[in-house]
């Protein structure tokens, strides 16, 4: 190909993580090009709920990344105002039984030690926090740091704020490498983009982009549905979910799992999840799954039984075997960086991921230890 364009870094993927990588890399003084075969937020980002959560993460590297990301999201919210529909509304996790409440309380104690703000809510106080909750719940924990953004708007505004050149509608067909094996850029179906650094922020397709560079990354799609109600006056104040949602997030099972997750939005509709199953990239509509979502939501909020569902949509979370994303340089290919595999937490973890990637690109010491996120931590046979 003769059509070539040069820059400091090519980011592959124009979703939320790619947008955050572009923003922080540009603010580190780098010339950035973002390449995507589809539109901005055309993949997993566009099918997400926009959750920025600490409540669903056990103490460890992912929670540390979530706390860093939450602080960065708060700073961006001050900068971008209402454009990204940032809502610091907090999350409420509820337990149906005393046994579930005990487990939830123990989790919250560990999270609190790690820097998460948690507030125990007794059964008799639940309706003060969420007046329309079902009766008979054993109690819960309130997480004031949980928040939400409108993901497609957020990705678009972060990309715009980055000033990066956007090259959408261009499929990456290869990662260019020199005689020494180091990255030289990417090849697309419409020309080459030359750069000494390439960031793989391709989400569910991160494994395919890694393969173009000759390395393996075991990213698999995990399908999930979201049910959207008609617009309503705000009757659900927080993101509210059942305590077993945390176990579903951490599960390795490929089978269908559903646990009720309910939250209001700034625009009025209530979003209802969550389902998880590994069925490849099957985009078939599943009425049984949607029925389970509706049933779980009405168990938490009985008033929803009289509310009309407006639509449903599905997306694919980029699942990794150990539930940690790949973030940082790939020692197998000099100049290749990964920022993918965040599963259902990519919106919330995007800012921290982009910040850490920018620090490594600029040769700075990172704010978090990237060892747990090393892209080469998996044996070769772990690749899909």
């Amino acid at each position: 190909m003769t059509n070539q364009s040069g820059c400091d870094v090519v980011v592959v993927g124009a979703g939320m993580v790619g947008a955050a990588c572009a923003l922080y890399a540009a603010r580190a003084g780098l010339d950035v090009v973002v390449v995507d075969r589809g539109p901005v937020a055309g993949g997993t980002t566009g099918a997400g709920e926009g959750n920025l959560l600490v409540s669903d993460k056990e103490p460890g590297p992912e929670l540390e990344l979530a706390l860093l990301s939450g602080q960065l999201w708060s700073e961006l919210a001050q900068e971008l105002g209402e454009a990204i529909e940032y809502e610091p509304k907090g999350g409420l996790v509820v337990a149906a039984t005393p046994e579930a409440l005990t487990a939830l309380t123990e989790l919250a104690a560990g999270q609190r030690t790690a820097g998460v703000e948690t507030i125990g809510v007794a059964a008799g106080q639940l309706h003060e926090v969420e007046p329309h909750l079902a009766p008979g719940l054993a109690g819960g924990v309130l997480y004031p740091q949980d928040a939400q953004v409108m993901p497609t708007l957020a990705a678009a505004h972060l990309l715009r704020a980055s000033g990066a050149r956007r090259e959408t509608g261009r499929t990456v067909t290869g990662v260019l490498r020199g005689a020494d094996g180091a990255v030289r850029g990417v090849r697309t179906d419409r020309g080459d983009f030359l750069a000494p650094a390439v960031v793989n922020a391709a989400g569910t397709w991160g494994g395919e982009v890694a393969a173009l560079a000759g390395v393996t990354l075991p990213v698999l799609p995990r399908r999930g549905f979201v049910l959207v109600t008609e617009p309503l006056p705000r009757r659900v104040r927080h993101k509210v979910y059942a305590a077993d949602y945390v176990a579903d997030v951490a599960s390795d099972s490929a089978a269908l799992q559903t646990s009720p997750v309910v939250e209001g939005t700034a625009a009025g509709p209530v979003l209802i999840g969550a389902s998880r199953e590994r069925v490849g990239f099957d985009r078939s509509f599943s009425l049984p799954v949607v029925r389970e979502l509706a049933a779980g939501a009405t168990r938490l909020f009985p008033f929803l039984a009289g509310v009309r569902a407006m639509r449903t949509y599905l997306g694919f979370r980029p699942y990794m075997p150990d539930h940690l994303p790949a973030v940082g340089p790939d020692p197998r290919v000099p100049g290749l960086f990964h920022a993918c595999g965040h599963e259902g937490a990519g919106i919330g973890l995007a800012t921290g991921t982009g910040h850490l990637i920018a620090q490594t690109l600029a040769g700075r010491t990172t704010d978090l230890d990237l060892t747990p996120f090393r892209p080469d931590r998996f044996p070769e046979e772990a690749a899909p």
Side-chain angles (χ1 to χ4, degrees):
M1 295 209 177
T2 57
N3 179 21
Q4 296 183 336
S5 178
C7 58
D8 294 323
V9 56
V10 174
V11 176
V12 181
M16 190 66 254
V17 174
C21 289
L23 176 68
Y24 290 104
R27 290 185 173 181
L30 300 175
D31 181 22
V32 183
V33 171
V34 178
V35 181
D36 198 299
R37 64 185 178 188
V40 174
T44 298
T45 295
E49 297 177 66
N51 294 321
L52 318 178
L53 305 182
V54 295
S55 57
D56 64 341
K57 296 169 180 64
E58 297 180 353
E62 188 182 29
L63 179 56
E64 293 175 3
L65 181 56
L67 289 168
L68 171 63
S69 298
Q71 178 57 44
L72 293 169
W73 271 117
S74 180
E75 294 171 5
L76 286 174
Q78 294 296 318
E79 175 184 340
L80 298 174
E82 298 180 359
I84 60 175
E85 295 186 9
Y86 176 83
E87 286 190 275
K89 60 187 178 184
L92 177 66
V93 186
V94 297
T97 66
E99 294 78 14
L101 181 60
T102 297
L104 175 60
T105 302
E106 291 174 354
L107 171 64
Q111 292 169 322
R112 190 161 52 249
T113 300
V116 176
E117 184 180 354
T118 69
I119 303 171
V121 184
Q125 299 173 313
L126 283 173
H127 286 87
E128 298 175 16
V129 181
E130 285 287 348
H132 299 284
L133 266 175
L137 296 168
V141 175
L142 183 65
Y143 291 85
Q145 290 159 297
D146 280 359
Q148 185 179 27
V149 293
M150 202 294 185
T152 53
L153 284 176
H157 281 286
L158 263 63
L159 268 179
R160 182 178 299 168
S162 75
R165 187 159 45 124
R166 287 169 284 177
E167 296 289 348
T168 54
R170 294 178 182 259
T171 300
V172 173
T173 59
V175 174
L176 304 174
R177 298 174 66 179
D180 59 355
V183 161
R184 292 196 302 111
V186 299
R187 173 152 292 167
T188 79
D189 57 350
R190 295 167 57 193
D192 295 349
F193 294 91
L194 304 182
V198 170
V199 178
N200 173 16
T204 311
W205 296 273
E208 283 82 348
V209 172
L212 293 176
V215 296
T216 58
L217 199 64
V219 184
L220 292 171
R222 204 177 188 191
R223 186 175 73 179
F225 285 86
V226 175
L227 189 61
V228 185
T229 76
E230 61 186 314
L232 301 170
R234 181 55 68 92
R235 299 180 74 181
V236 181
R237 299 176 177 178
H238 305 82
K239 176 186 175 72
V240 182
Y241 62 86
D244 54 358
Y245 171 80
V246 178
D248 284 356
V249 169
S251 171
D252 295 324
S253 174
L256 173 65
Q257 297 169 309
T258 62
S259 49
V261 180
V262 182
E263 59 190 313
T265 65
V270 173
L271 304 181
I272 297 170
S275 69
R276 282 173 161 77
E277 55 185 331
R278 294 212 310 272
V279 292
F281 285 102
D282 182 0
R283 300 194 65 86
S284 302
F285 175 75
S286 175
L287 183 59
V289 173
V290 173
R291 281 177 171 165
E292 285 196 39
L293 295 180
T298 55
R299 285 195 298 271
L300 280 182
F301 290 95
F303 81 88
L304 288 171
V307 172
R308 290 174 295 181
M310 188 168 62
R311 66 185 179 96
T312 186
Y313 60 91
L314 66 89
F316 298 98
R317 305 176 183 92
Y319 166 88
M320 296 276 271
D322 61 359
H323 301 283
L324 290 178
V327 179
D330 193 322
R332 299 167 293 186
V333 181
L336 177 64
F337 298 77
H338 297 284
C340 60
H342 298 78
E343 201 168 330
I347 305 300
L349 301 180
T351 48
T353 297
H355 173 74
L356 294 169
I357 289 291
Q359 288 181 317
T360 59
L361 287 168
R364 300 171 186 164
T365 301
T366 55
D367 289 343
L368 297 181
D369 179 11
L370 296 184
T371 302
F373 307 109
R374 282 178 62 106
D376 64 335
R377 66 187 185 270
F378 302 100
E380 291 298 309
E381 58 268 24

